[in-house]
Each structure stands twice: as C-alpha cells, then as structure tokens.
Amino acid sequence: MTTSQWPLQEAVYAKLTADTAFMALVKGLFDEVPETVAHPYVSFGSATEVVDDAHNQRGLAVNLVLHIWSKYRGIKEAAAILAALDAVLDRQPLTVAGFRDVSVAHQQHQHVRDPDPDIRHINVAYRVWLTKE
C-alpha cells in the first residue's frame, strides 16, 4: 500500500491556507517551522497510518496531528485557532491525490503546558480515512 502522508499533508495545507478566516488568525502553517516565525502559528506533527482495507478495497486510517502555538496570555487565542481548524477540516470534504472517499474527523485535542511559560500549545489529532483509487 502506498503511503498517504505526503498527499494528505499537501491537501490539508492547501485547504487551510486557502481559508481566509483561518489564515487571518495565524502567521503561517508549517511543515518545518522557521526559527524567526512569529506567533501564533500551526505546524504539522506526526502522522500514523494503519491499513484499513475493506473487502477488495485498499484503505488507510491516519491519525494526523497538528500543533497550535501561541504567545497570548491564556488559552483564548489558541482555542480560537482550534475552532478555525475544525471549521475547515472536521467532517469537511478533502481531496487527496491518489485517494477517494476521504473522511476527516476531529479525534481529540490536548492543551499542553510548554516549558516556556510564555507559550501556549494545543495539539489536535484528526482521524482521516482514505480509500486508494
């Protein structure tokens, strides 16, 4: 089975950066975060794939993690970014090259206390189901 990781990341990146409401809240969406980037921003985290075949169809279930980073005092800004992520991704259509029947659902999120007391961090996991074309 071919991995979905790069085509899935490309699809998520394209969908999020095309959304003006989401992009108005962040300084960027990054795979590799530049050292000079200003807060707030979102970065791609881990992606775990599990084979999820059905009868004669090849499929994958992917746990895709995105990280929200903020320097706002308190969780308000990061929570607003999480809501914007969900508005674009959760149960919304997504086109991924080489796959069909793509479904995305918010699985869980966690507010994590960063060692730097000025940084707020939420990691959010989306479950993505894909069927190979």
Side-chain angles (χ1 to χ4, degrees):
M1 159 80 32
T2 303
T3 181
S4 70
Q5 289 189 354
W6 182 244
L8 176 58
Q9 184 170 318
E10 284 183 308
V12 169
Y13 182 88
K15 185 149 186 163
L16 286 171
T17 57
D19 189 85
T20 55
F22 170 73
M23 291 305 294
L25 297 175
V26 297
K27 304 293 187 212
L29 171 62
F30 302 99
D31 180 12
E32 188 67 30
V33 181
E35 288 190 32
T36 58
V37 71
H39 289 77
Y41 63 87
V42 174
S43 62
F44 283 92
S46 61
T48 305
E49 293 181 327
V50 176
V51 173
D52 191 28
D53 295 346
H55 303 288
N56 63 345
Q57 298 179 7
R58 307 285 293 181
L60 291 169
V62 181
N63 190 47
L64 176 67
V65 177
L66 298 173
H67 296 274
I68 301 165
W69 303 92
S70 170
K71 282 194 170 181
Y72 182 86
R73 300 299 272 169
I75 198 66
K76 182 179 179 180
E77 183 178 67
I81 295 167
L82 174 59
L85 278 173
D86 274 357
V88 177
L89 296 176
D90 187 36
R91 293 172 172 71
Q92 299 301 312
L94 183 67
T95 302
V96 178
F99 294 88
R100 61 181 170 77
D101 304 327
V102 179
S103 176
V104 180
H106 180 143
Q107 185 176 23
Q108 70 176 17
H109 63 273
Q110 179 183 23
H111 174 220
V112 180
R113 287 286 178 188
D114 195 87
D116 180 339
D118 292 335
I119 295 178
R120 303 295 180 261
H121 176 202
I122 295 177
N123 61 51
V124 56
Y126 291 94
R127 185 69 144 189
V128 184
W129 294 271
L130 312 102
T131 303
K132 184 78 176 139
E133 287 184 333

